[in-house]
């Protein structure tokens, strides 16, 4: 298909008008055809893999210590023994998770045992189940497919391969379990410091995710920490963006950047995950730089970026340049902006995630999502077939039903994070 040049992103920010080309409700005839072709491939793949689940390996996003040992928090004697056997590890800030700190402080949270969606075994996930779970990060399942189509310049075959890779990664790395555990499984020092925080909105009203690079020192964290933290931060950003146009702005704050903060492993992990699993999730990536050390690093980082992501990446050397993307009222004061809000990490409590203990309400919400998936699948099949019985409004309503069901299930399948707890 013919691909036109995308609208100018900087002009979009200047006019404070979102770019909607290639999104649901804003497709050309060729783009709609590409979406149909991609759905055919995806639905066919779901059927062909129905009896071959994907094994959970956690080989890239390492599980926390208790999970890796196969111990659930509702097994108090096993938990106590594990902490006794691993005392030197859980008291070391390089390895200590938020859950470790709470346990050592005598706050023994006991959530319900983790259970994957749609009857999957904790040790494996079916492609179809994981695919539909990924779709819940969007207001419409079409949106999930469209992110990959836009990221691949509407090449259906490449977009399909990337979706398969992304969904397989989500399954094998148990991203659902990562979000069930939430902050409990994250490194406590990184959470307390606020290495990656969500603050304010950009000029397009997208949430802003700030990576405060000066707070990252590679030698101060244990093996596997950065991958687990990066995956959690990106999934968290996607959840926040769901209600705000399904995009966020990624802002790297290099204020106070020193030699100790040069950590290509962390940056490459973020870049790789964005390229492969969260394409088009970020409206823009902005490097706020006032350090000469950045010049050499940027040449390396830029080589890792997907070409389309690279075109959406910018350098701002001062607040005036940064204000082209984020109004000064939404820029934190330590970056030279007017936002006085200071980050502080409050440890989660048992009350924060009470719905996760409500097994019966979860069952009803999960059944509602199953029914919504079946309805959307059916309407999509009619749409793809070109049957004269196709009713566009019926498919729109099925997508809305899916979105409502996804939001209704959300409180029962993942822990709330700091931004959500603050907004209560």
């Amino acid at each position: 298909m013919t691909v036109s040049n995308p609208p100018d992103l900087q002009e979009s920010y200047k006019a404070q008008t979102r770019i909607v080309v290639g999104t649901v409700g804003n497709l050309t005839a060729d783009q709609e055809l590409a979406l149909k072709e991609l759905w055919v491939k995806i639905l066919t793949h779901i059927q062909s893999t129905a009896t071959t689940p994907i094994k959970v390996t956690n080989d890239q996003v390492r599980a926390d210590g208790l999970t890796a040992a196969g111990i659930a928090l509702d097994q108090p004697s096993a938990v106590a023994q594990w902490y006794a056997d691993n005392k030197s590890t859980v008291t070391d800030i390089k390895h200590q998770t938020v859950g470790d700190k709470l346990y050592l402080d005598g706050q023994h949270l006991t959530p319900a045992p983790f259970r994957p969606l749609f009857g999957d075994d904790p040790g494996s996930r079916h492609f179809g189940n994981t695919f539909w779970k990924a779709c819940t990060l969007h207001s419409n399942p079409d949106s999930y497919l469209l992110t990959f189509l836009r990221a691949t310049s509407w090449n259906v075959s490449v977009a399909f391969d990337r979706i398969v890779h992304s969904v397989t990664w989500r399954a094998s790395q148990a991203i659902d379990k990562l979000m069930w555990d939430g902050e409990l499984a994250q490194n406590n020092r990184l959470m307390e410091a606020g290495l990656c925080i969500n603050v304010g909105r950009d000029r397009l009203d997208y949430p802003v995710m700030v990576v405060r690079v000066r707070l990252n020192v590679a030698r101060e964290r244990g093996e596997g920490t950065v991958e687990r933290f990066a995956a959690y931060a990106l999934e968290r950003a996607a959840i926040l963006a769901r209600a705000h146009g399904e995009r966020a702005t990624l802002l790297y704050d290099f204020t106070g950047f020193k030699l100790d903060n040069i950590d290509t492993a962390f940056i490459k992990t973020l870049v790789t995950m964005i390229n492969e699993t969260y394409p088009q999730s970020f409206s823009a990536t902005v490097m706020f730089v006032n350090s000469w050390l950045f010049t050499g690093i940027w040449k390396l980082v830029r080589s890792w970026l997907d070409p389309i992501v690279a075109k959406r990446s910018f350098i701002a050397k001062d607040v005036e340049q940064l204000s082209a993307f984020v109004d000064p009222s939404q820029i934190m004061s330590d970056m030279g902006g007017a936002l006085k809000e200071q980050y502080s990490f409050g440890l989660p409590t048992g009350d924060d995630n009470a719905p996760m203990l409500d097994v019966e309400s979860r069952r009803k919400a999960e059944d509602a999502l199953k029914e919504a998936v079946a309805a959307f699948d059916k309407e999509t099949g009619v749409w793809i077939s070109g049957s004269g019985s196709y009713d566009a409004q019926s498919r729109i309503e099925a997508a809305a039903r899916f979105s409502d069901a996804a939001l209704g299930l959300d409180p029962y399948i993942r822990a709330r994070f700091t931004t959500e707890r603050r907004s209560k």
Side-chain angles (χ1 to χ4, degrees), residues 55-67:
K55 183 180 179 180
V56 172
T57 61
N58 285 123
D59 58 325
Q60 296 175 41
V61 179
R62 301 283 187 88
D64 64 287
L66 278 171
T67 299

Side-chain angles (χ1 to χ4, degrees), residues 178-409:
L178 180 79
M179 300 313 292
W180 172 272
D181 292 334
E183 292 169 347
L184 291 180
Q186 297 304 311
N187 180 270
N188 186 63
R189 190 191 71 80
L190 294 182
M191 294 305 301
E192 286 186 339
L195 170 61
C196 205
I197 60 178
N198 299 95
V199 181
R201 306 278 175 79
D202 70 6
R203 289 193 178 275
L204 300 181
D205 200 36
Y206 293 133
V208 178
M209 173 174 150
V210 183
V211 180
R212 302 195 289 181
V213 182
R214 68 182 179 278
L215 300 177
N216 180 49
V217 180
R219 67 172 182 274
E220 293 180 358
R221 64 166 187 264
E223 185 180 2
T225 297
V226 66
E227 293 82 4
R228 186 164 63 245
F229 183 81
Y232 179 73
L234 291 173
E235 192 78 356
R236 183 181 64 190
I239 290 169
L240 286 174
R242 180 170 53 191
H244 300 283
E246 301 185 2
R247 283 181 175 169
T249 283
L250 179 58
L251 174 58
Y252 289 96
D253 176 17
F254 282 86
T255 302
F257 182 68
K258 304 183 296 294
L259 284 172
D260 279 349
N261 306 126
I262 296 178
D263 183 4
T264 54
F266 175 56
I267 296 176
K268 189 170 185 178
T269 296
L270 271 179
V271 168
T272 301
M273 288 183 181
I274 291 170
N275 285 346
E276 297 181 354
T277 308
Y278 301 89
Q280 300 283 302
S281 291
F282 294 102
S283 172
T285 298
V286 184
M287 273 66 63
F288 183 61
V289 181
N290 60 1
S291 170
W292 62 270
L293 288 171
F294 176 77
T295 304
I297 295 174
W298 174 236
K299 291 180 180 178
L300 179 62
V301 171
R302 192 173 182 84
S303 70
W304 297 332
L305 296 176
D306 176 274
I308 292 179
V309 174
K311 290 179 181 179
R312 305 173 75 93
S313 301
F314 307 91
I315 295 176
K317 296 182 178 180
D318 51 39
V319 173
E320 182 179 356
Q321 292 182 6
L322 180 57
S323 67
F325 301 94
V326 185
D327 188 273
S329 66
Q330 299 292 297
I331 300 173
M332 295 181 71
S333 56
D334 60 1
M335 297 173 64
L339 188 64
K340 300 297 184 183
E341 179 180 345
Q342 295 298 315
Y343 172 81
S344 62
F345 176 62
L347 290 167
T349 69
D351 293 338
D352 292 327
N353 301 305
M356 294 170 69
L357 296 168
D358 189 343
V359 176
E360 179 59 21
S361 293
R362 172 190 163 143
R363 183 190 64 76
K364 292 178 180 178
E366 189 169 340
D367 285 346
L369 182 60
K370 286 180 184 178
E371 293 169 3
V373 166
F376 185 82
D377 191 336
K378 178 182 177 181
E379 292 297 333
T380 298
V382 176
W383 172 60
I384 289 170
S385 70
S387 168
S389 63
Y390 170 63
D391 178 7
Q393 185 59 35
S394 294
R395 189 165 184 270
I396 291 172
E397 290 174 359
R401 180 181 176 184
F402 177 91
S403 179
D404 290 344
L407 292 175
L409 178 61

Side-chain angles (χ1 to χ4, degrees), residues 51-229:
T51 59
T52 53
I54 301 163
K55 183 180 179 180
V56 172
T57 61
N58 285 123
D59 58 325
Q60 296 175 41
V61 179
R62 301 283 187 88
D64 64 287
L66 278 171
T67 299
I71 300 172
L73 289 178
D74 64 341
Q75 302 172 311
S77 59
V79 170
Q81 186 60 55
W82 184 86
Y83 273 103
D85 293 342
N86 294 274
K87 185 175 182 179
S88 61
T89 299
V90 299
T91 56
D92 184 343
I93 63 170
K94 291 171 62 177
H95 304 281
Q96 186 182 70
T97 66
V98 173
D100 293 338
K101 178 174 175 54
L102 284 169
Y103 188 88
L104 295 173
D105 287 348
Q107 301 179 55
H108 302 175
L109 303 187
T110 55
F114 169 70
R115 184 162 49 87
L117 285 180
F118 309 134
D120 270 342
D121 185 86
S124 64
R125 306 286 188 275
H126 283 84
F127 178 90
N129 294 344
T130 306
F131 168 79
W132 290 112
K133 176 64 176 66
C135 286
T136 65
L137 291 174
H138 301 268
S139 59
N140 185 322
D142 281 350
S143 297
Y144 182 55
L145 274 65
L146 288 170
T147 60
F148 288 90
L149 283 169
R150 293 194 303 269
T152 57
S153 298
W154 301 90
N155 185 315
V156 175
S157 294
V158 176
F160 170 72
D161 289 343
R162 288 184 63 173
I163 289 177
V164 170
H165 175 83
S166 175
V167 171
T168 301
W169 178 84
R170 296 180 70 89
S172 66
Q173 305 310 308
I175 300 303
D176 52 355
K177 175 64 163 61
L178 180 79
M179 300 313 292
W180 172 272
D181 292 334
E183 292 169 347
L184 291 180
Q186 297 304 311
N187 180 270
N188 186 63
R189 190 191 71 80
L190 294 182
M191 294 305 301
E192 286 186 339
L195 170 61
C196 205
I197 60 178
N198 299 95
V199 181
R201 306 278 175 79
D202 70 6
R203 289 193 178 275
L204 300 181
D205 200 36
Y206 293 133
V208 178
M209 173 174 150
V210 183
V211 180
R212 302 195 289 181
V213 182
R214 68 182 179 278
L215 300 177
N216 180 49
V217 180
R219 67 172 182 274
E220 293 180 358
R221 64 166 187 264
E223 185 180 2
T225 297
V226 66
E227 293 82 4
R228 186 164 63 245
F229 183 81

